[in-house]
Amino acid sequence: MQLFVGLGNPGAKYAHNRHNIGFMALDRIAGDHGFGPWKSKFQGQIAEGRLGGDKVLLLKPETFMNRSGQSVGEAMRFYKLEPGDVTVFHDELDLAPGKVRVKQGGGHAGHNGLRSIHDHIGEAYRRVRLGIGHPGRKELVSGYVLRDFPKADEGWLDDVLRGLSDGADHLAAGDGGRFMNAVALRTAPPRSSTTPKPETKAGAAKPATPDSPPAEDARSPMQKLVDRFR
């Protein structure tokens, strides 16, 4: 069994905040893959289902971001899971908006939700880092992440969420490469490699072809003289 955790803050007030993109990711996966209804458990909301051949529990902690680890730790202990069974979806200031990266282990980079999870289960869990961009100055970060996504971001945000859902089976199977490919097909679809040839306009001159070399004159000197006076 695997545990997919989305980070965010509970309540309608925060539902569309940049900080809640982890909740948004789990909602899209649950809806697209036919997970069961959300239920209150482990100090959060859980939904059960399958991704490919794997049983997966989705968890949205309702402890508020700074205490997310309490909810995650409780769910892990109940199901006797290891940190390697856990994948956390979270907002990432150090990635441009719309960029997605998968990371195994490592530090929390000052993210309060990850910091709390580190405190409860250690660092050996997998993260799906969802880029939201940086406001430019450290003192602006709090207001930035707790502000709703603007309308201008709705296009790329929907592409990212669809891509995460498209690749969820691969993520559960441990195939990070195919997961990222699925995301990329939504966020950066390949352009056609063929370009139509320009049509030839009616009456357009055909390209010039080299002239044939003049034929050699095989006449005798006498014949040339006779021909000259004809």
Side-chain angles (χ1 to χ4, degrees), residues 3-72:
L3 177 63
F4 280 14
V5 179
L7 296 188
N9 289 308
K13 174 182 176 180
Y14 303 101
H16 301 290
N17 284 183
R18 292 183 175 95
H19 224 15
N20 273 45
I21 194 172
F23 277 15
M24 297 175 194
L26 262 57
D27 285 337
R28 179 60 63 92
I29 291 172
D32 289 352
H33 293 271
F35 274 63
W38 291 99
K39 301 176 182 178
S40 295
K41 197 171 185 178
F42 308 128
Q43 304 180 64
Q45 292 290 315
I46 65 167
E48 297 182 18
R50 303 190 74 85
L51 293 173
D54 298 277
K55 184 177 181 181
V56 177
L57 180 75
L58 305 181
L59 171 64
K60 297 187 294 185
E62 293 189 309
T63 51
F64 283 92
M65 185 69 78
N66 294 1
R67 296 185 296 168
S68 298
Q70 295 179 7
S71 175
V72 176

Short mmCIF file of all heavy atoms in Angstrom, two decimals, residues 3-72:
data_model
loop_
_atom_site.label_atom_id
_atom_site.label_comp_id
_atom_site.label_asym_id
_atom_site.label_seq_id
_atom_site.Cartn_x
_atom_site.Cartn_y
_atom_site.Cartn_z
N LEU A 3 0.96 5.67 0.35
CA LEU A 3 0.29 6.84 0.91
C LEU A 3 0.69 8.07 0.09
O LEU A 3 1.87 8.44 0.06
CB LEU A 3 0.70 7.03 2.38
CG LEU A 3 0.13 8.25 3.12
CD1 LEU A 3 -1.39 8.16 3.22
CD2 LEU A 3 0.74 8.36 4.53
N PHE A 4 -0.28 8.66 -0.60
CA PHE A 4 -0.06 9.92 -1.32
C PHE A 4 -0.62 11.04 -0.45
O PHE A 4 -1.80 11.03 -0.09
CB PHE A 4 -0.79 9.93 -2.67
CG PHE A 4 -0.08 9.19 -3.78
CD1 PHE A 4 0.98 8.33 -3.52
CD2 PHE A 4 -0.48 9.36 -5.09
CE1 PHE A 4 1.63 7.66 -4.54
CE2 PHE A 4 0.16 8.70 -6.13
CZ PHE A 4 1.22 7.85 -5.86
N VAL A 5 0.22 12.01 -0.13
CA VAL A 5 -0.16 13.12 0.75
C VAL A 5 -0.14 14.42 -0.05
O VAL A 5 0.84 14.72 -0.75
CB VAL A 5 0.82 13.24 1.93
CG1 VAL A 5 0.43 14.42 2.83
CG2 VAL A 5 0.87 11.93 2.72
N GLY A 6 -1.21 15.18 0.05
CA GLY A 6 -1.25 16.52 -0.54
C GLY A 6 -1.21 17.55 0.57
O GLY A 6 -1.94 17.41 1.56
N LEU A 7 -0.35 18.55 0.44
CA LEU A 7 -0.24 19.56 1.49
C LEU A 7 -1.08 20.79 1.17
O LEU A 7 -1.21 21.20 0.02
CB LEU A 7 1.22 19.97 1.69
CG LEU A 7 2.17 18.86 2.17
CD1 LEU A 7 3.53 19.45 2.50
CD2 LEU A 7 1.59 18.12 3.39
N GLY A 8 -1.64 21.36 2.24
CA GLY A 8 -2.47 22.54 2.11
C GLY A 8 -3.04 22.92 3.46
O GLY A 8 -2.68 22.35 4.49
N ASN A 9 -3.95 23.87 3.46
CA ASN A 9 -4.65 24.29 4.67
C ASN A 9 -6.14 24.01 4.50
O ASN A 9 -6.68 24.18 3.41
CB ASN A 9 -4.43 25.77 4.95
CG ASN A 9 -3.01 26.08 5.39
OD1 ASN A 9 -2.49 25.47 6.32
ND2 ASN A 9 -2.36 27.03 4.72
N PRO A 10 -6.82 23.57 5.56
CA PRO A 10 -8.24 23.23 5.45
C PRO A 10 -9.15 24.46 5.41
O PRO A 10 -8.79 25.52 5.92
CB PRO A 10 -8.49 22.40 6.71
CG PRO A 10 -7.54 22.97 7.72
CD PRO A 10 -6.31 23.33 6.93
N GLY A 11 -10.31 24.31 4.78
CA GLY A 11 -11.31 25.37 4.79
C GLY A 11 -11.39 26.11 3.47
O GLY A 11 -10.41 26.23 2.72
N ALA A 12 -12.60 26.62 3.20
CA ALA A 12 -12.86 27.32 1.93
C ALA A 12 -11.98 28.55 1.75
O ALA A 12 -11.65 28.92 0.62
CB ALA A 12 -14.34 27.72 1.87
N LYS A 13 -11.59 29.18 2.85
CA LYS A 13 -10.77 30.38 2.80
C LYS A 13 -9.45 30.15 2.07
O LYS A 13 -8.92 31.04 1.40
CB LYS A 13 -10.51 30.88 4.22
CG LYS A 13 -9.56 32.06 4.33
CD LYS A 13 -9.32 32.43 5.79
CE LYS A 13 -8.29 33.56 5.91
NZ LYS A 13 -8.04 33.92 7.33
N TYR A 14 -8.93 28.93 2.21
CA TYR A 14 -7.61 28.62 1.65
C TYR A 14 -7.67 27.77 0.39
O TYR A 14 -6.63 27.48 -0.22
CB TYR A 14 -6.77 27.88 2.69
CG TYR A 14 -6.58 28.61 3.99
CD1 TYR A 14 -7.35 28.29 5.11
CD2 TYR A 14 -5.65 29.64 4.11
CE1 TYR A 14 -7.19 28.96 6.31
CE2 TYR A 14 -5.48 30.32 5.30
CZ TYR A 14 -6.25 29.97 6.40
OH TYR A 14 -6.09 30.65 7.58
N ALA A 15 -8.85 27.35 -0.02
CA ALA A 15 -9.00 26.32 -1.04
C ALA A 15 -8.26 26.60 -2.33
O ALA A 15 -7.74 25.68 -2.97
CB ALA A 15 -10.49 26.09 -1.34
N HIS A 16 -8.19 27.87 -2.76
CA HIS A 16 -7.58 28.20 -4.04
C HIS A 16 -6.22 28.90 -3.89
O HIS A 16 -5.69 29.45 -4.84
CB HIS A 16 -8.53 29.08 -4.86
CG HIS A 16 -9.84 28.43 -5.13
ND1 HIS A 16 -9.99 27.36 -5.98
CD2 HIS A 16 -11.09 28.68 -4.63
CE1 HIS A 16 -11.26 26.98 -6.01
NE2 HIS A 16 -11.94 27.76 -5.20
N ASN A 17 -5.66 28.83 -2.67
CA ASN A 17 -4.34 29.42 -2.42
C ASN A 17 -3.24 28.66 -3.16
O ASN A 17 -3.36 27.46 -3.41
CB ASN A 17 -3.99 29.37 -0.93
CG ASN A 17 -4.71 30.42 -0.09
OD1 ASN A 17 -4.45 30.50 1.11
ND2 ASN A 17 -5.60 31.19 -0.68
N ARG A 18 -2.16 29.35 -3.47
CA ARG A 18 -1.00 28.68 -4.06
C ARG A 18 -0.49 27.56 -3.13
O ARG A 18 -0.03 26.52 -3.59
CB ARG A 18 0.12 29.69 -4.32
CG ARG A 18 -0.18 30.71 -5.41
CD ARG A 18 1.04 31.60 -5.62
NE ARG A 18 0.86 32.54 -6.74
CZ ARG A 18 0.44 33.78 -6.60
NH1 ARG A 18 0.12 34.25 -5.39
NH2 ARG A 18 0.31 34.58 -7.66
N HIS A 19 -0.56 27.81 -1.83
CA HIS A 19 -0.08 26.85 -0.83
C HIS A 19 -0.89 25.55 -0.87
O HIS A 19 -0.47 24.55 -0.29
CB HIS A 19 -0.19 27.49 0.55
CG HIS A 19 1.00 27.28 1.43
ND1 HIS A 19 2.23 26.84 0.98
CD2 HIS A 19 1.16 27.46 2.78
CE1 HIS A 19 3.08 26.76 1.99
NE2 HIS A 19 2.45 27.12 3.09
N ASN A 20 -2.06 25.56 -1.50
CA ASN A 20 -2.95 24.40 -1.49
C ASN A 20 -2.89 23.57 -2.77
O ASN A 20 -3.76 22.73 -3.00
CB ASN A 20 -4.40 24.84 -1.25
CG ASN A 20 -4.74 24.94 0.23
OD1 ASN A 20 -3.95 25.48 1.00
ND2 ASN A 20 -5.89 24.44 0.63
N ILE A 21 -1.89 23.77 -3.58
CA ILE A 21 -1.82 23.02 -4.83
C ILE A 21 -1.69 21.51 -4.57
O ILE A 21 -2.12 20.70 -5.39
CB ILE A 21 -0.66 23.54 -5.71
CG1 ILE A 21 -0.79 23.00 -7.14
CG2 ILE A 21 0.69 23.24 -5.10
CD1 ILE A 21 0.20 23.62 -8.11
N GLY A 22 -1.15 21.14 -3.42
CA GLY A 22 -1.08 19.71 -3.06
C GLY A 22 -2.46 19.11 -2.87
O GLY A 22 -2.73 17.98 -3.32
N PHE A 23 -3.36 19.84 -2.19
CA PHE A 23 -4.75 19.40 -2.07
C PHE A 23 -5.40 19.28 -3.44
O PHE A 23 -6.11 18.31 -3.73
CB PHE A 23 -5.55 20.42 -1.23
CG PHE A 23 -5.43 20.27 0.26
CD1 PHE A 23 -4.45 19.49 0.84
CD2 PHE A 23 -6.32 20.94 1.11
CE1 PHE A 23 -4.35 19.37 2.23
CE2 PHE A 23 -6.23 20.82 2.48
CZ PHE A 23 -5.24 20.05 3.05
N MET A 24 -5.17 20.27 -4.29
CA MET A 24 -5.76 20.27 -5.63
C MET A 24 -5.31 19.04 -6.43
O MET A 24 -6.11 18.43 -7.15
CB MET A 24 -5.35 21.54 -6.39
CG MET A 24 -5.85 22.83 -5.76
SD MET A 24 -5.17 24.27 -6.67
CE MET A 24 -5.54 25.58 -5.50
N ALA A 25 -4.04 18.67 -6.30
CA ALA A 25 -3.52 17.51 -7.02
C ALA A 25 -4.24 16.23 -6.61
O ALA A 25 -4.63 15.42 -7.46
CB ALA A 25 -2.01 17.38 -6.77
N LEU A 26 -4.43 16.04 -5.31
CA LEU A 26 -5.11 14.84 -4.83
C LEU A 26 -6.58 14.82 -5.22
O LEU A 26 -7.13 13.76 -5.55
CB LEU A 26 -4.96 14.72 -3.31
CG LEU A 26 -3.83 13.77 -2.86
CD1 LEU A 26 -2.48 14.19 -3.43
CD2 LEU A 26 -3.77 13.68 -1.34
N ASP A 27 -7.23 15.97 -5.20
CA ASP A 27 -8.63 16.04 -5.63
C ASP A 27 -8.77 15.60 -7.09
O ASP A 27 -9.71 14.87 -7.44
CB ASP A 27 -9.17 17.46 -5.46
CG ASP A 27 -9.47 17.81 -4.01
OD1 ASP A 27 -9.69 16.89 -3.20
OD2 ASP A 27 -9.48 19.02 -3.68
N ARG A 28 -7.83 16.04 -7.94
CA ARG A 28 -7.90 15.66 -9.35
C ARG A 28 -7.65 14.16 -9.53
O ARG A 28 -8.35 13.48 -10.30
CB ARG A 28 -6.89 16.47 -10.16
CG ARG A 28 -6.85 16.15 -11.65
CD ARG A 28 -8.20 16.39 -12.35
NE ARG A 28 -8.60 17.77 -12.29
CZ ARG A 28 -8.32 18.67 -13.23
NH1 ARG A 28 -7.63 18.33 -14.30
NH2 ARG A 28 -8.75 19.92 -13.10
N ILE A 29 -6.67 13.63 -8.83
CA ILE A 29 -6.38 12.20 -8.93
C ILE A 29 -7.56 11.37 -8.44
O ILE A 29 -7.97 10.40 -9.08
CB ILE A 29 -5.11 11.86 -8.12
CG1 ILE A 29 -3.87 12.47 -8.81
CG2 ILE A 29 -4.94 10.34 -7.99
CD1 ILE A 29 -2.60 12.36 -7.99
N ALA A 30 -8.14 11.76 -7.31
CA ALA A 30 -9.28 11.02 -6.75
C ALA A 30 -10.46 11.01 -7.71
O ALA A 30 -11.09 9.97 -7.93
CB ALA A 30 -9.70 11.63 -5.41
N GLY A 31 -10.74 12.16 -8.31
CA GLY A 31 -11.88 12.25 -9.23
C GLY A 31 -11.67 11.49 -10.51
O GLY A 31 -12.57 10.80 -11.01
N ASP A 32 -10.46 11.57 -11.08
CA ASP A 32 -10.19 10.94 -12.37
C ASP A 32 -10.04 9.43 -12.27
O ASP A 32 -10.28 8.71 -13.24
CB ASP A 32 -8.92 11.52 -12.99
CG ASP A 32 -9.10 12.95 -13.48
OD1 ASP A 32 -10.25 13.43 -13.48
OD2 ASP A 32 -8.08 13.57 -13.84
N HIS A 33 -9.63 8.92 -11.12
CA HIS A 33 -9.32 7.50 -10.98
C HIS A 33 -10.34 6.74 -10.13
O HIS A 33 -10.07 5.60 -9.72
CB HIS A 33 -7.91 7.33 -10.41
CG HIS A 33 -6.82 7.78 -11.35
ND1 HIS A 33 -6.24 6.95 -12.28
CD2 HIS A 33 -6.25 9.00 -11.53
CE1 HIS A 33 -5.34 7.63 -12.98
NE2 HIS A 33 -5.33 8.88 -12.54
N GLY A 34 -11.48 7.34 -9.89
CA GLY A 34 -12.57 6.64 -9.24
C GLY A 34 -12.33 6.23 -7.80
O GLY A 34 -12.77 5.16 -7.36
N PHE A 35 -11.62 7.07 -7.04
CA PHE A 35 -11.41 6.78 -5.62
C PHE A 35 -12.72 6.90 -4.86
O PHE A 35 -13.66 7.57 -5.31
CB PHE A 35 -10.37 7.73 -5.03
CG PHE A 35 -8.95 7.27 -5.22
CD1 PHE A 35 -8.42 7.15 -6.50
CD2 PHE A 35 -8.16 6.94 -4.15
CE1 PHE A 35 -7.11 6.73 -6.70
CE2 PHE A 35 -6.85 6.52 -4.32
CZ PHE A 35 -6.33 6.40 -5.61
N GLY A 36 -12.76 6.27 -3.68
CA GLY A 36 -13.94 6.35 -2.83
C GLY A 36 -14.12 7.75 -2.27
O GLY A 36 -13.28 8.63 -2.46
N PRO A 37 -15.23 7.97 -1.56
CA PRO A 37 -15.51 9.30 -1.01
C PRO A 37 -14.49 9.70 0.06
O PRO A 37 -13.89 8.85 0.71
CB PRO A 37 -16.90 9.14 -0.41
CG PRO A 37 -17.02 7.69 -0.11
CD PRO A 37 -16.27 6.98 -1.20
N TRP A 38 -14.32 10.99 0.22
CA TRP A 38 -13.42 11.50 1.26
C TRP A 38 -14.05 11.27 2.63
O TRP A 38 -15.24 11.51 2.82
CB TRP A 38 -13.14 12.98 1.05
CG TRP A 38 -12.30 13.26 -0.17
CD1 TRP A 38 -12.75 13.66 -1.39
CD2 TRP A 38 -10.89 13.16 -0.27
NE1 TRP A 38 -11.70 13.82 -2.26
CE2 TRP A 38 -10.54 13.51 -1.61
CE3 TRP A 38 -9.86 12.81 0.62
CZ2 TRP A 38 -9.22 13.52 -2.06
CZ3 TRP A 38 -8.55 12.81 0.16
CH2 TRP A 38 -8.23 13.16 -1.16
N LYS A 39 -13.23 10.81 3.57
CA LYS A 39 -13.69 10.55 4.94
C LYS A 39 -12.72 11.17 5.94
O LYS A 39 -11.52 11.30 5.64
CB LYS A 39 -13.78 9.05 5.21
CG LYS A 39 -14.71 8.29 4.27
CD LYS A 39 -14.66 6.79 4.56
CE LYS A 39 -15.55 6.00 3.60
NZ LYS A 39 -15.47 4.54 3.84
N SER A 40 -13.22 11.53 7.10
CA SER A 40 -12.37 12.12 8.14
C SER A 40 -11.64 11.03 8.92
O SER A 40 -12.27 10.13 9.49
CB SER A 40 -13.22 12.95 9.11
OG SER A 40 -13.79 14.06 8.45
N LYS A 41 -10.32 11.08 8.91
CA LYS A 41 -9.50 10.11 9.66
C LYS A 41 -8.07 10.60 9.68
O LYS A 41 -7.64 11.34 8.79
CB LYS A 41 -9.57 8.73 8.99
CG LYS A 41 -9.11 7.59 9.88
CD LYS A 41 -9.42 6.23 9.24
CE LYS A 41 -9.08 5.10 10.17
NZ LYS A 41 -9.40 3.76 9.60
N PHE A 42 -7.34 10.22 10.71
CA PHE A 42 -5.92 10.58 10.85
C PHE A 42 -5.72 12.09 10.85
O PHE A 42 -4.76 12.60 10.26
CB PHE A 42 -5.07 9.94 9.74
CG PHE A 42 -5.26 8.46 9.58
CD1 PHE A 42 -5.55 7.92 8.33
CD2 PHE A 42 -5.17 7.61 10.67
CE1 PHE A 42 -5.73 6.55 8.17
CE2 PHE A 42 -5.35 6.23 10.52
CZ PHE A 42 -5.63 5.71 9.27
N GLN A 43 -6.62 12.83 11.46
CA GLN A 43 -6.55 14.29 11.53
C GLN A 43 -6.53 14.91 10.12
O GLN A 43 -5.87 15.92 9.88
CB GLN A 43 -5.31 14.76 12.30
CG GLN A 43 -5.20 14.20 13.71
CD GLN A 43 -3.94 14.70 14.40
OE1 GLN A 43 -3.77 15.90 14.65
NE2 GLN A 43 -3.05 13.78 14.72
N GLY A 44 -7.26 14.26 9.22
CA GLY A 44 -7.30 14.77 7.85
C GLY A 44 -8.45 14.14 7.09
O GLY A 44 -9.36 13.54 7.68
N GLN A 45 -8.42 14.29 5.77
CA GLN A 45 -9.40 13.68 4.89
C GLN A 45 -8.69 12.60 4.07
O GLN A 45 -7.62 12.84 3.50
CB GLN A 45 -10.00 14.72 3.94
CG GLN A 45 -10.88 15.75 4.64
CD GLN A 45 -12.18 15.14 5.13
OE1 GLN A 45 -12.83 14.39 4.41
NE2 GLN A 45 -12.56 15.48 6.35
N ILE A 46 -9.28 11.40 4.01
CA ILE A 46 -8.67 10.31 3.27
C ILE A 46 -9.64 9.78 2.21
O ILE A 46 -10.86 9.89 2.35
CB ILE A 46 -8.24 9.15 4.18
CG1 ILE A 46 -9.46 8.48 4.85
CG2 ILE A 46 -7.24 9.61 5.23
CD1 ILE A 46 -9.16 7.15 5.52
N ALA A 47 -9.08 9.23 1.14
CA ALA A 47 -9.85 8.55 0.11
C ALA A 47 -9.04 7.33 -0.33
O ALA A 47 -7.82 7.41 -0.46
CB ALA A 47 -10.12 9.47 -1.08
N GLU A 48 -9.71 6.20 -0.52
CA GLU A 48 -9.02 4.96 -0.88
C GLU A 48 -9.34 4.58 -2.32
O GLU A 48 -10.44 4.79 -2.81
CB GLU A 48 -9.45 3.84 0.07
CG GLU A 48 -9.07 4.07 1.51
CD GLU A 48 -9.46 2.91 2.41
OE1 GLU A 48 -9.70 1.80 1.88
OE2 GLU A 48 -9.52 3.09 3.63
N GLY A 49 -8.35 3.99 -2.98
CA GLY A 49 -8.55 3.54 -4.35
C GLY A 49 -7.34 2.80 -4.85
O GLY A 49 -6.45 2.41 -4.08
N ARG A 50 -7.27 2.63 -6.17
CA ARG A 50 -6.14 1.93 -6.79
C ARG A 50 -5.60 2.77 -7.95
O ARG A 50 -6.34 3.43 -8.66
CB ARG A 50 -6.55 0.55 -7.31
CG ARG A 50 -7.13 -0.37 -6.25
CD ARG A 50 -7.28 -1.78 -6.78
NE ARG A 50 -5.99 -2.45 -6.88
CZ ARG A 50 -5.40 -3.09 -5.87
NH1 ARG A 50 -5.99 -3.15 -4.67
NH2 ARG A 50 -4.22 -3.67 -6.04
N LEU A 51 -4.30 2.70 -8.10
CA LEU A 51 -3.62 3.31 -9.23
C LEU A 51 -2.82 2.19 -9.89
O LEU A 51 -1.86 1.69 -9.31
CB LEU A 51 -2.70 4.45 -8.79
CG LEU A 51 -3.40 5.69 -8.23
CD1 LEU A 51 -2.38 6.67 -7.66
CD2 LEU A 51 -4.23 6.36 -9.32
N GLY A 52 -3.27 1.78 -11.08
CA GLY A 52 -2.66 0.61 -11.69
C GLY A 52 -2.91 -0.60 -10.81
O GLY A 52 -4.04 -0.87 -10.40
N GLY A 53 -1.87 -1.32 -10.46
CA GLY A 53 -2.03 -2.50 -9.60
C GLY A 53 -1.79 -2.21 -8.14
O GLY A 53 -1.70 -3.16 -7.33
N ASP A 54 -1.66 -0.94 -7.77
CA ASP A 54 -1.31 -0.60 -6.39
C ASP A 54 -2.48 0.02 -5.63
O ASP A 54 -3.17 0.90 -6.16
CB ASP A 54 -0.14 0.39 -6.38
CG ASP A 54 1.12 -0.19 -6.99
OD1 ASP A 54 1.84 -0.89 -6.27
OD2 ASP A 54 1.36 0.06 -8.19
N LYS A 55 -2.66 -0.43 -4.40
CA LYS A 55 -3.64 0.20 -3.52
C LYS A 55 -3.02 1.48 -2.96
O LYS A 55 -1.88 1.48 -2.49
CB LYS A 55 -4.02 -0.74 -2.37
CG LYS A 55 -5.13 -0.18 -1.48
CD LYS A 55 -5.53 -1.17 -0.40
CE LYS A 55 -6.65 -0.59 0.46
NZ LYS A 55 -7.06 -1.54 1.55
N VAL A 56 -3.77 2.56 -3.03
CA VAL A 56 -3.24 3.86 -2.62
C VAL A 56 -4.23 4.56 -1.71
O VAL A 56 -5.44 4.57 -1.97
CB VAL A 56 -2.94 4.75 -3.86
CG1 VAL A 56 -2.46 6.13 -3.43
CG2 VAL A 56 -1.90 4.09 -4.76
N LEU A 57 -3.72 5.15 -0.64
CA LEU A 57 -4.51 5.99 0.25
C LEU A 57 -4.12 7.44 0.01
O LEU A 57 -2.93 7.79 0.08
CB LEU A 57 -4.24 5.62 1.71
CG LEU A 57 -5.02 6.44 2.76
CD1 LEU A 57 -6.47 5.98 2.80
CD2 LEU A 57 -4.39 6.29 4.15
N LEU A 58 -5.10 8.27 -0.31
CA LEU A 58 -4.85 9.71 -0.46
C LEU A 58 -5.15 10.39 0.87
O LEU A 58 -6.18 10.11 1.50
CB LEU A 58 -5.75 10.29 -1.55
CG LEU A 58 -5.69 9.63 -2.94
CD1 LEU A 58 -6.64 10.35 -3.90
CD2 LEU A 58 -4.27 9.62 -3.49
N LEU A 59 -4.28 11.28 1.29
CA LEU A 59 -4.44 11.97 2.57
C LEU A 59 -4.23 13.46 2.42
O LEU A 59 -3.20 13.91 1.91
CB LEU A 59 -3.44 11.41 3.59
CG LEU A 59 -3.33 12.17 4.93
CD1 LEU A 59 -4.64 12.10 5.72
CD2 LEU A 59 -2.16 11.61 5.76
N LYS A 60 -5.22 14.25 2.87
CA LYS A 60 -5.10 15.70 2.95
C LYS A 60 -5.14 16.08 4.44
O LYS A 60 -6.21 16.11 5.05
CB LYS A 60 -6.24 16.39 2.19
CG LYS A 60 -6.26 16.10 0.70
CD LYS A 60 -7.29 16.93 -0.05
CE LYS A 60 -8.71 16.58 0.35
NZ LYS A 60 -9.73 17.31 -0.46
N PRO A 61 -3.98 16.34 5.05
CA PRO A 61 -3.96 16.69 6.47
C PRO A 61 -4.78 17.95 6.75
O PRO A 61 -4.73 18.92 5.98
CB PRO A 61 -2.47 16.93 6.75
CG PRO A 61 -1.75 16.15 5.69
CD PRO A 61 -2.63 16.26 4.48
N GLU A 62 -5.53 17.94 7.85
CA GLU A 62 -6.32 19.11 8.25
C GLU A 62 -5.79 19.74 9.52
O GLU A 62 -6.51 20.40 10.26
CB GLU A 62 -7.79 18.71 8.43
CG GLU A 62 -8.46 18.30 7.12
CD GLU A 62 -9.96 18.12 7.26
OE1 GLU A 62 -10.38 17.38 8.18
OE2 GLU A 62 -10.71 18.73 6.46
N THR A 63 -4.51 19.54 9.76
CA THR A 63 -3.86 20.07 10.96
C THR A 63 -3.29 21.47 10.71
O THR A 63 -2.62 22.01 11.58
CB THR A 63 -2.69 19.15 11.33
OG1 THR A 63 -1.87 18.94 10.17
CG2 THR A 63 -3.19 17.80 11.83
N PHE A 64 -3.53 22.02 9.54
CA PHE A 64 -2.87 23.21 9.02
C PHE A 64 -1.42 22.86 8.66
O PHE A 64 -0.84 21.92 9.19
CB PHE A 64 -2.96 24.41 9.97
CG PHE A 64 -4.32 25.06 9.94
CD1 PHE A 64 -5.30 24.65 10.85
CD2 PHE A 64 -4.63 26.01 9.00
CE1 PHE A 64 -6.57 25.21 10.81
CE2 PHE A 64 -5.90 26.58 8.96
CZ PHE A 64 -6.88 26.18 9.86
N MET A 65 -0.89 23.59 7.72
CA MET A 65 0.38 23.25 7.08
C MET A 65 1.50 22.95 8.08
O MET A 65 2.23 21.96 7.95
CB MET A 65 0.79 24.39 6.15
CG MET A 65 2.03 24.12 5.34
SD MET A 65 1.79 22.85 4.06
CE MET A 65 0.91 23.80 2.82
N ASN A 66 1.63 23.79 9.09
CA ASN A 66 2.77 23.68 9.99
C ASN A 66 2.79 22.42 10.83
O ASN A 66 3.81 22.11 11.46
CB ASN A 66 2.81 24.90 10.94
CG ASN A 66 3.08 26.19 10.19
OD1 ASN A 66 3.23 26.20 8.98
ND2 ASN A 66 3.14 27.28 10.94
N ARG A 67 1.67 21.68 10.87
CA ARG A 67 1.63 20.44 11.66
C ARG A 67 1.22 19.25 10.79
O ARG A 67 0.69 18.27 11.30
CB ARG A 67 0.68 20.62 12.84
CG ARG A 67 1.12 21.67 13.85
CD ARG A 67 0.23 21.72 15.05
NE ARG A 67 -1.14 22.13 14.70
CZ ARG A 67 -2.19 22.05 15.53
NH1 ARG A 67 -2.02 21.54 16.74
NH2 ARG A 67 -3.38 22.46 15.15
N SER A 68 1.52 19.32 9.52
CA SER A 68 1.13 18.25 8.60
C SER A 68 1.69 16.89 9.01
O SER A 68 1.07 15.85 8.79
CB SER A 68 1.63 18.59 7.18
OG SER A 68 1.05 19.77 6.70
N GLY A 69 2.88 16.88 9.59
CA GLY A 69 3.52 15.62 9.98
C GLY A 69 2.73 14.81 10.98
O GLY A 69 2.85 13.58 11.02
N GLN A 70 1.93 15.47 11.82
CA GLN A 70 1.12 14.73 12.79
C GLN A 70 0.17 13.79 12.08
O GLN A 70 0.03 12.61 12.45
CB GLN A 70 0.33 15.71 13.67
CG GLN A 70 1.18 16.59 14.56
CD GLN A 70 0.33 17.54 15.39
OE1 GLN A 70 -0.90 17.46 15.40
NE2 GLN A 70 0.98 18.46 16.08
N SER A 71 -0.52 14.29 11.08
CA SER A 71 -1.48 13.50 10.32
C SER A 71 -0.79 12.39 9.53
O SER A 71 -1.22 11.24 9.53
CB SER A 71 -2.25 14.42 9.37
OG SER A 71 -3.13 13.68 8.54
N VAL A 72 0.31 12.73 8.88
CA VAL A 72 1.05 11.75 8.08
C VAL A 72 1.59 10.63 8.96
O VAL A 72 1.46 9.44 8.64
CB VAL A 72 2.19 12.43 7.30
CG1 VAL A 72 3.01 11.39 6.54
CG2 VAL A 72 1.64 13.48 6.36
#
